[in-house]
Amino acid sequence: MKRCSTSYVLFCGIWFVWVLALHVTAKECIENLVDYDGTVSTTDTGRTCQQWSETYPHSHQLTEKLGDQHNYCRNADNEPFGPWCYTTDAATRWEYCTVPHCDSYDNSPKPEQNCRMDQQGRNYTGKVIKTRFGQTCQAWSSLAPHQHPFSVKMADHENYCRNPDDEDYGPWCYTTDPDTRWEYCDIPYCEGADNPEKDHWKRGWQRYEDSCYSIQYTKKNWFDAKDFCKNNLNAYLAEIQTSGENNFLMNLLPKPTLDDNFIEVWLGGNDVESEMFGRFIWSKSGSEFNFTDWGPGEPSRYSEHCLSTHLYRDRKLHWNDRTCYWGNFFVCEKR
C-alpha cells in the first residue's frame, strides 16, 4: 500500500473540514425568506420538486443559477412567502414549500391595516372582498374556479384582497367568475401615504444644486418636447451628470399607476445627433454620458434612439431608450 504524503493528508483534512462546514451551515429552517439552503424538496401540497438543472416538464431560466441545487426548495427571485420550486406535475408549474421557521424568525401577527401606505399595498390586511369592477373574490384556500399556488400560504386570509406576489398596482384577488381569473381591488390610501396616482411632482420648478427642473404633464414626442422646453421656458430637456442628480429626479418623476400604466418621461439624451447610432449624447451640451443608469438590457439600440425613464422590476425608474416619436411626459432643466 502506498503511504499518504504529509501534504496529501493535509489536503484531505482541509477538504473534510470544508465539507463538514457546508453541512453545518445549511439550515433546515427559515431565518429569512431568501437564504434558505436546506434539503426540503416537496411543496405545500406534497408535490415533488423538479430538478433545477432540468427544463421538463416546466421550462425556466434558472438552470445556470440553480443547476447545482438538485431539486431543493429555493427562493432565487425573492418570492414573498419564501422557498418554492417548479413541480414534476405537468399541470402545476410551481408551488411554495413547507419549510419551518427558525426560532429567531419574527412571525408575530401584524395589526390590521385598512388602507395602503404605497401603491403596492403589501401592508394591507383589511377585509375588502370585491374587485374594483365588482367581482367577488375567490377564497385563497380554494382552487376553484381558478387554481393557484397560494392556497396554503394564504389560507387564513379568507377571500380578502391581498398582494402576495408584489403586484405593482396593489392588492388583488382571484374571482369567483370562471371567465375572469383575477382583478385588482380598490383599496384606499392611508392619510399621508405615498400615493403615485395623486401625488405626482407638483407643477413648478424644483431645485437641485445649480439647476432647476420642471415636469411637463403633456405628452409629446422627444423633438417637440425639446422645442417646448426651449421656446416656452428658455430651458432644455434635462441632462443628468451625477448619481446624486439622477437619484433626485428618479425619486420625484411620475411612475406608472393602475389608471395610467404607461408613464414615461423624456430626458435630454439621444443617439440621433451623434455620428453613429448607439453613441448617446446630451442634446444641449453635446457631451457623451459620463454617468448612466440604464435598465437591464438597455439601451436596446434597434429603432429606439431617445432617452426616457422606465419602471423596472425593482420598482424603480431607470433609463430606457425609446422610439423618439412616442408621446411621453418630459422634464425641462435650466441653470
Side-chain angles (χ1 to χ4, degrees), residues 223-249:
F223 301 102
D224 289 344
K226 183 181 72 166
D227 290 343
F228 182 94
C229 292
K230 178 180 178 180
N231 298 330
N232 293 275
L233 301 174
N234 193 26
Y236 50 91
L237 283 177
E239 300 188 358
I240 299 176
Q241 304 294 345
T242 67
S243 61
E245 183 183 14
N246 187 68
N247 290 337
F248 170 79
L249 285 174

mmCIF file of all heavy atoms in Angstrom, residues 223-249:
data_model
loop_
_atom_site.group_PDB
_atom_site.id
_atom_site.type_symbol
_atom_site.label_atom_id
_atom_site.label_comp_id
_atom_site.label_asym_id
_atom_site.label_seq_id
_atom_site.Cartn_x
_atom_site.Cartn_y
_atom_site.Cartn_z
ATOM 1 N N PHE A 223 -38.699 65.292 -29.925
ATOM 2 C CA PHE A 223 -38.308 66.521 -30.614
ATOM 3 C C PHE A 223 -39.200 67.691 -30.227
ATOM 4 O O PHE A 223 -38.727 68.805 -29.990
ATOM 5 C CB PHE A 223 -38.337 66.300 -32.131
ATOM 6 C CG PHE A 223 -37.428 65.200 -32.585
ATOM 7 C CD1 PHE A 223 -37.947 63.955 -32.913
ATOM 8 C CD2 PHE A 223 -36.055 65.391 -32.660
ATOM 9 C CE1 PHE A 223 -37.113 62.927 -33.324
ATOM 10 C CE2 PHE A 223 -35.213 64.379 -33.069
ATOM 11 C CZ PHE A 223 -35.745 63.133 -33.400
ATOM 12 N N ASP A 224 -40.521 67.435 -30.144
ATOM 13 C CA ASP A 224 -41.441 68.502 -29.741
ATOM 14 C C ASP A 224 -41.229 68.891 -28.288
ATOM 15 O O ASP A 224 -41.372 70.068 -27.917
ATOM 16 C CB ASP A 224 -42.895 68.064 -29.958
ATOM 17 C CG ASP A 224 -43.267 67.988 -31.433
ATOM 18 O OD1 ASP A 224 -42.521 68.566 -32.260
ATOM 19 O OD2 ASP A 224 -44.285 67.345 -31.762
ATOM 20 N N ALA A 225 -40.883 67.898 -27.457
ATOM 21 C CA ALA A 225 -40.606 68.188 -26.045
ATOM 22 C C ALA A 225 -39.373 69.086 -25.913
ATOM 23 O O ALA A 225 -39.360 70.054 -25.141
ATOM 24 C CB ALA A 225 -40.401 66.885 -25.275
ATOM 25 N N LYS A 226 -38.334 68.802 -26.700
ATOM 26 C CA LYS A 226 -37.121 69.618 -26.678
ATOM 27 C C LYS A 226 -37.429 71.053 -27.107
ATOM 28 O O LYS A 226 -36.984 72.029 -26.469
ATOM 29 C CB LYS A 226 -36.065 69.010 -27.604
ATOM 30 C CG LYS A 226 -34.737 69.758 -27.574
ATOM 31 C CD LYS A 226 -33.712 69.150 -28.515
ATOM 32 C CE LYS A 226 -34.038 69.417 -29.974
ATOM 33 N NZ LYS A 226 -32.887 69.119 -30.877
ATOM 34 N N ASP A 227 -38.236 71.201 -28.162
ATOM 35 C CA ASP A 227 -38.596 72.533 -28.638
ATOM 36 C C ASP A 227 -39.446 73.277 -27.610
ATOM 37 O O ASP A 227 -39.311 74.498 -27.439
ATOM 38 C CB ASP A 227 -39.346 72.434 -29.962
ATOM 39 C CG ASP A 227 -38.441 71.999 -31.115
ATOM 40 O OD1 ASP A 227 -37.204 72.098 -30.963
ATOM 41 O OD2 ASP A 227 -38.968 71.541 -32.143
ATOM 42 N N PHE A 228 -40.342 72.554 -26.915
ATOM 43 C CA PHE A 228 -41.199 73.202 -25.916
ATOM 44 C C PHE A 228 -40.347 73.785 -24.800
ATOM 45 O O PHE A 228 -40.568 74.923 -24.363
ATOM 46 C CB PHE A 228 -42.204 72.203 -25.351
ATOM 47 C CG PHE A 228 -43.147 72.796 -24.350
ATOM 48 C CD1 PHE A 228 -44.384 73.277 -24.733
ATOM 49 C CD2 PHE A 228 -42.790 72.902 -23.002
ATOM 50 C CE1 PHE A 228 -45.257 73.843 -23.801
ATOM 51 C CE2 PHE A 228 -43.650 73.464 -22.070
ATOM 52 C CZ PHE A 228 -44.882 73.938 -22.480
ATOM 53 N N CYS A 229 -39.386 72.995 -24.292
ATOM 54 C CA CYS A 229 -38.519 73.489 -23.216
ATOM 55 C C CYS A 229 -37.791 74.765 -23.654
ATOM 56 O O CYS A 229 -37.717 75.750 -22.901
ATOM 57 C CB CYS A 229 -37.495 72.426 -22.817
ATOM 58 S SG CYS A 229 -38.175 70.964 -21.995
ATOM 59 N N LYS A 230 -37.289 74.754 -24.890
ATOM 60 C CA LYS A 230 -36.501 75.879 -25.389
ATOM 61 C C LYS A 230 -37.366 77.107 -25.643
ATOM 62 O O LYS A 230 -37.043 78.223 -25.202
ATOM 63 C CB LYS A 230 -35.785 75.466 -26.672
ATOM 64 C CG LYS A 230 -34.965 76.588 -27.295
ATOM 65 C CD LYS A 230 -34.286 76.097 -28.575
ATOM 66 C CE LYS A 230 -33.490 77.229 -29.227
ATOM 67 N NZ LYS A 230 -32.818 76.758 -30.484
ATOM 68 N N ASN A 231 -38.481 76.916 -26.328
ATOM 69 C CA ASN A 231 -39.274 78.052 -26.791
ATOM 70 C C ASN A 231 -40.191 78.626 -25.722
ATOM 71 O O ASN A 231 -40.545 79.810 -25.775
ATOM 72 C CB ASN A 231 -40.114 77.645 -28.009
ATOM 73 C CG ASN A 231 -39.252 77.226 -29.183
ATOM 74 O OD1 ASN A 231 -38.128 77.709 -29.347
ATOM 75 N ND2 ASN A 231 -39.763 76.311 -29.997
ATOM 76 N N ASN A 232 -40.611 77.817 -24.772
ATOM 77 C CA ASN A 232 -41.579 78.281 -23.774
ATOM 78 C C ASN A 232 -40.970 78.553 -22.403
ATOM 79 O O ASN A 232 -41.500 79.353 -21.640
ATOM 80 C CB ASN A 232 -42.699 77.254 -23.621
ATOM 81 C CG ASN A 232 -43.554 77.129 -24.866
ATOM 82 O OD1 ASN A 232 -44.498 77.888 -25.068
ATOM 83 N ND2 ASN A 232 -43.215 76.168 -25.718
ATOM 84 N N LEU A 233 -39.867 77.883 -22.085
ATOM 85 C CA LEU A 233 -39.311 78.006 -20.742
ATOM 86 C C LEU A 233 -37.856 78.465 -20.741
ATOM 87 O O LEU A 233 -37.242 78.547 -19.665
ATOM 88 C CB LEU A 233 -39.422 76.659 -20.006
ATOM 89 C CG LEU A 233 -40.841 76.092 -19.840
ATOM 90 C CD1 LEU A 233 -40.784 74.697 -19.239
ATOM 91 C CD2 LEU A 233 -41.688 77.022 -18.978
ATOM 92 N N ASN A 234 -37.324 78.742 -21.942
ATOM 93 C CA ASN A 234 -35.901 79.092 -22.037
ATOM 94 C C ASN A 234 -35.054 78.045 -21.317
ATOM 95 O O ASN A 234 -34.144 78.356 -20.544
ATOM 96 C CB ASN A 234 -35.636 80.484 -21.455
ATOM 97 C CG ASN A 234 -34.254 81.004 -21.807
ATOM 98 O OD1 ASN A 234 -33.673 80.602 -22.829
ATOM 99 N ND2 ASN A 234 -33.712 81.869 -20.961
ATOM 100 N N ALA A 235 -35.366 76.785 -21.581
ATOM 101 C CA ALA A 235 -34.725 75.671 -20.877
ATOM 102 C C ALA A 235 -34.393 74.580 -21.898
ATOM 103 O O ALA A 235 -34.471 74.795 -23.118
ATOM 104 C CB ALA A 235 -35.651 75.145 -19.785
ATOM 105 N N TYR A 236 -34.034 73.399 -21.417
ATOM 106 C CA TYR A 236 -33.687 72.272 -22.276
ATOM 107 C C TYR A 236 -34.091 70.975 -21.581
ATOM 108 O O TYR A 236 -34.290 70.945 -20.350
ATOM 109 C CB TYR A 236 -32.188 72.267 -22.595
ATOM 110 C CG TYR A 236 -31.291 72.400 -21.383
ATOM 111 C CD1 TYR A 236 -30.820 71.277 -20.700
ATOM 112 C CD2 TYR A 236 -30.917 73.659 -20.916
ATOM 113 C CE1 TYR A 236 -30.011 71.402 -19.587
ATOM 114 C CE2 TYR A 236 -30.099 73.796 -19.804
ATOM 115 C CZ TYR A 236 -29.648 72.659 -19.137
ATOM 116 O OH TYR A 236 -28.847 72.790 -18.030
ATOM 117 N N LEU A 237 -34.248 69.906 -22.367
ATOM 118 C CA LEU A 237 -34.561 68.612 -21.753
ATOM 119 C C LEU A 237 -33.452 68.234 -20.778
ATOM 120 O O LEU A 237 -32.264 68.374 -21.079
ATOM 121 C CB LEU A 237 -34.707 67.529 -22.827
ATOM 122 C CG LEU A 237 -36.014 67.519 -23.613
ATOM 123 C CD1 LEU A 237 -35.971 66.422 -24.687
ATOM 124 C CD2 LEU A 237 -37.216 67.301 -22.707
ATOM 125 N N ALA A 238 -33.839 67.730 -19.620
ATOM 126 C CA ALA A 238 -32.911 67.528 -18.508
ATOM 127 C C ALA A 238 -31.734 66.637 -18.891
ATOM 128 O O ALA A 238 -31.901 65.608 -19.561
ATOM 129 C CB ALA A 238 -33.654 66.923 -17.324
ATOM 130 N N GLU A 239 -30.540 67.049 -18.446
ATOM 131 C CA GLU A 239 -29.313 66.291 -18.658
ATOM 132 C C GLU A 239 -28.759 65.883 -17.297
ATOM 133 O O GLU A 239 -28.508 66.736 -16.444
ATOM 134 C CB GLU A 239 -28.291 67.129 -19.432
ATOM 135 C CG GLU A 239 -28.810 67.561 -20.795
ATOM 136 C CD GLU A 239 -27.735 68.227 -21.657
ATOM 137 O OE1 GLU A 239 -26.596 68.391 -21.169
ATOM 138 O OE2 GLU A 239 -28.047 68.561 -22.819
ATOM 139 N N ILE A 240 -28.566 64.595 -17.103
ATOM 140 C CA ILE A 240 -28.162 64.066 -15.798
ATOM 141 C C ILE A 240 -26.669 63.755 -15.817
ATOM 142 O O ILE A 240 -26.204 62.922 -16.597
ATOM 143 C CB ILE A 240 -28.974 62.810 -15.452
ATOM 144 C CG1 ILE A 240 -30.467 63.172 -15.372
ATOM 145 C CG2 ILE A 240 -28.508 62.204 -14.130
ATOM 146 C CD1 ILE A 240 -31.373 61.986 -15.139
ATOM 147 N N GLN A 241 -25.934 64.384 -14.914
ATOM 148 C CA GLN A 241 -24.477 64.265 -14.929
ATOM 149 C C GLN A 241 -23.929 63.448 -13.753
ATOM 150 O O GLN A 241 -22.805 62.956 -13.822
ATOM 151 C CB GLN A 241 -23.838 65.660 -14.903
ATOM 152 C CG GLN A 241 -24.298 66.577 -16.024
ATOM 153 C CD GLN A 241 -23.857 66.114 -17.399
ATOM 154 O OE1 GLN A 241 -22.983 65.265 -17.541
ATOM 155 N NE2 GLN A 241 -24.483 66.663 -18.448
ATOM 156 N N THR A 242 -24.689 63.303 -12.678
ATOM 157 C CA THR A 242 -24.172 62.627 -11.483
ATOM 158 C C THR A 242 -25.212 61.683 -10.910
ATOM 159 O O THR A 242 -26.420 61.799 -11.198
ATOM 160 C CB THR A 242 -23.787 63.644 -10.394
ATOM 161 O OG1 THR A 242 -24.974 64.300 -9.911
ATOM 162 C CG2 THR A 242 -22.804 64.682 -10.932
ATOM 163 N N SER A 243 -24.757 60.761 -10.079
ATOM 164 C CA SER A 243 -25.688 59.838 -9.426
ATOM 165 C C SER A 243 -26.612 60.580 -8.472
ATOM 166 O O SER A 243 -27.785 60.217 -8.315
ATOM 167 C CB SER A 243 -24.919 58.742 -8.681
ATOM 168 O OG SER A 243 -24.093 59.298 -7.663
ATOM 169 N N GLY A 244 -26.118 61.643 -7.825
ATOM 170 C CA GLY A 244 -26.971 62.410 -6.919
ATOM 171 C C GLY A 244 -28.102 63.092 -7.657
ATOM 172 O O GLY A 244 -29.255 63.073 -7.207
ATOM 173 N N GLU A 245 -27.790 63.687 -8.806
ATOM 174 C CA GLU A 245 -28.827 64.317 -9.624
ATOM 175 C C GLU A 245 -29.814 63.274 -10.123
ATOM 176 O O GLU A 245 -31.034 63.506 -10.136
ATOM 177 C CB GLU A 245 -28.174 65.038 -10.799
ATOM 178 C CG GLU A 245 -29.144 65.792 -11.700
ATOM 179 C CD GLU A 245 -28.465 66.437 -12.893
ATOM 180 O OE1 GLU A 245 -27.295 66.084 -13.182
ATOM 181 O OE2 GLU A 245 -29.100 67.284 -13.532
ATOM 182 N N ASN A 246 -29.297 62.112 -10.516
ATOM 183 C CA ASN A 246 -30.166 61.040 -11.001
ATOM 184 C C ASN A 246 -31.117 60.569 -9.904
ATOM 185 O O ASN A 246 -32.314 60.403 -10.141
ATOM 186 C CB ASN A 246 -29.313 59.873 -11.496
ATOM 187 C CG ASN A 246 -30.143 58.796 -12.170
ATOM 188 O OD1 ASN A 246 -30.692 59.005 -13.240
ATOM 189 N ND2 ASN A 246 -30.228 57.639 -11.539
ATOM 190 N N ASN A 247 -30.592 60.356 -8.695
ATOM 191 C CA ASN A 247 -31.445 59.914 -7.584
ATOM 192 C C ASN A 247 -32.517 60.948 -7.280
ATOM 193 O O ASN A 247 -33.675 60.609 -7.001
ATOM 194 C CB ASN A 247 -30.599 59.647 -6.345
ATOM 195 C CG ASN A 247 -29.720 58.430 -6.486
ATOM 196 O OD1 ASN A 247 -29.999 57.543 -7.291
ATOM 197 N ND2 ASN A 247 -28.638 58.388 -5.725
ATOM 198 N N PHE A 248 -32.145 62.224 -7.319
ATOM 199 C CA PHE A 248 -33.104 63.294 -7.071
ATOM 200 C C PHE A 248 -34.268 63.222 -8.048
ATOM 201 O O PHE A 248 -35.440 63.248 -7.655
ATOM 202 C CB PHE A 248 -32.394 64.637 -7.182
ATOM 203 C CG PHE A 248 -33.318 65.828 -7.172
ATOM 204 C CD1 PHE A 248 -33.845 66.303 -5.984
ATOM 205 C CD2 PHE A 248 -33.648 66.482 -8.358
ATOM 206 C CE1 PHE A 248 -34.702 67.403 -5.979
ATOM 207 C CE2 PHE A 248 -34.503 67.578 -8.355
ATOM 208 C CZ PHE A 248 -35.025 68.038 -7.160
ATOM 209 N N LEU A 249 -33.949 63.091 -9.356
ATOM 210 C CA LEU A 249 -35.008 63.081 -10.360
ATOM 211 C C LEU A 249 -35.802 61.776 -10.349
ATOM 212 O O LEU A 249 -37.039 61.784 -10.430
ATOM 213 C CB LEU A 249 -34.396 63.318 -11.744
ATOM 214 C CG LEU A 249 -33.975 64.752 -12.051
ATOM 215 C CD1 LEU A 249 -33.264 64.824 -13.390
ATOM 216 C CD2 LEU A 249 -35.180 65.686 -12.040
#
